[in-house]
Amino acid sequence: MNSQANKTTIALSGLSIGYRSHHGVSTVATGITATISSGELTCLLGENGAGKSTLLRTLSRFQPRLGGSMMLCGREIDSYSDQELARQVSVVLTERIDVQLMKASELVAMGRSPYTGYWGRLSADDHRIVNDAIHMVGIDALADRLVTTLSDGERQKVMIAKALAQQTPVIFLDEPTAFLDYPSKVEMLLLLRRISHEADKTVFLSTHDLELALQVADRVWLMRRNGAISIGTPRQLADNGTLHDFINRDGIVFCPDDFSVKVTIKE
């Protein structure tokens, strides 16, 4: 874990998440009280249907919470205007952005729109910030490539550079390793870990890559279908039996020594 003193950027108290519709209220989870800190890579794990995307959308203010409090950098999140929030939180989704005839560097530069306006002209300082983001993610060779020619992994790196160019203290990512081959998954999570540590960012992401996340994450949120959330370092969740209870079933065994999952085949 990052050796510097990490600070709390997100504080949740009694948070309830879910949906309101004309059929009524559908609650996904209640009573979430937790903090997320800078300088750490935090991975959100859980079963399909447990509500990971709902939690991320709520934290990003894409959908309203059902109850409780969400503090962002010491302020209630609803007190931020849209423009203020765009300077605090950047979000990287799995959906492809439909951009034609746009270079990777131009897409990264769109991260400056909270400061310049959507069609604003970039200053010399803006260009420096964009170039720094491109360099930190290691995509200098992609800068002049058209976005439509990039692989899924290359496109994800461009979107992360865009988030860095946005210069927000918080970065949320929804399944950033989806559709990537295994080496690219490893590279992506190591990149996000490095960004969180070196740039002192609060990086919070959802993923289905359990074994990989347990090896790379500083902190893990494990979300169950009953709305319960267990939070701790991978080692803490291994030692207290949480990961054993979550993973172990007939033919599947969690190995706490190396955070691996073994499959047993009965002949």
Side-chain angles (χ1 to χ4, degrees):
M1 188 176 296
N2 197 353
S3 60
Q4 67 184 2
N6 300 328
K7 63 180 182 296
T8 296
T9 47
I10 298 170
L12 312 178
S13 179
L15 177 68
S16 295
I17 61 173
Y19 302 88
R20 287 187 175 93
S21 68
H22 60 277
H23 297 297
V25 176
S26 177
T27 302
V28 172
T30 62
I32 304 171
T33 298
T35 59
I36 310 174
S37 298
S38 65
E40 293 182 354
L41 174 63
T42 303
C43 290
L44 174 63
L45 304 172
E47 303 154 299
N48 286 335
K52 297 188 300 297
S53 293
T54 302
L55 177 57
L56 266 177
R57 286 196 297 268
T58 305
L59 294 179
S60 306
R61 213 174 71 178
F62 289 171
Q63 72 181 63
R65 62 186 183 271
L66 299 181
S69 170
M70 293 196 303
M71 302 294 290
L72 170 64
C73 297
R75 281 176 57 184
E76 171 60 48
I77 194 168
D78 285 344
S79 72
Y80 288 90
S81 68
D82 289 343
Q83 184 178 37
E84 286 177 328
L85 191 63
R87 297 184 181 190
Q88 297 293 326
V89 176
S90 53
V91 182
V92 179
L93 303 175
T94 53
E95 288 83 0
R96 281 176 172 261
I97 292 181
D98 184 19
V99 289
Q100 301 293 327
L101 302 179
M102 178 179 284
K103 294 180 180 179
S105 59
E106 294 171 331
L107 181 52
V108 175
M110 290 179 65
R112 300 304 299 158
S113 60
Y115 309 91
T116 65
Y118 191 81
W119 298 110
R121 184 181 297 275
L122 269 62
S123 67
D125 194 45
D126 290 321
H127 283 293
R128 177 189 59 77
I129 292 168
V130 169
N131 290 334
D132 287 347
I134 288 171
H135 184 67
M136 184 168 195
V137 179
I139 55 171
D140 304 75
L142 304 179
D144 291 329
R145 291 260 306 274
L146 291 177
V147 175
T148 52
T149 69
L150 302 178
S151 68
D152 287 335
E154 290 170 337
R155 187 183 289 244
Q156 276 291 71
K157 289 181 180 179
V158 171
M159 295 306 295
I160 291 169
K162 174 178 175 288
L164 285 175
Q166 200 170 327
Q167 287 195 312
T168 59
V170 177
I171 303 175
F172 292 134
L173 304 100
D174 188 16
E175 296 286 348
T177 57
F179 314 119
L180 303 183
D181 57 42
Y182 191 77
S184 297
K185 290 175 187 287
V186 175
E187 183 184 13
M188 182 63 64
L189 285 187
L190 288 176
L191 168 64
L192 292 169
R193 177 184 170 91
R194 179 169 62 85
I195 287 170
S196 67
H197 289 196
E198 294 182 5
D200 195 30
K201 300 287 187 182
T202 300
V203 180
F204 186 87
L205 63 90
S206 65
T207 180
H208 282 98
D209 295 310
L210 183 142
E211 285 183 89
L212 181 54
L214 292 178
Q215 295 180 68
V216 175
D218 295 303
R219 194 164 297 275
V220 167
W221 289 34
L222 184 61
M223 197 169 188
R224 310 298 289 267
R225 280 205 186 100
N226 62 5
I229 300 180
S230 300
I231 299 174
T233 66
R235 175 48 55 198
Q236 288 170 339
L237 296 183
D239 290 347
N240 67 19
T242 298
L243 290 170
H244 174 278
D245 294 342
F246 176 71
I247 297 169
N248 278 33
R249 61 200 70 183
D250 188 32
I252 305 175
V253 179
F254 173 66
C255 301
D257 293 339
D258 59 359
F259 302 114
S260 63
V261 178
K262 306 297 185 186
V263 178
T264 59
I265 302 175
K266 295 180 180 180
E267 297 297 340

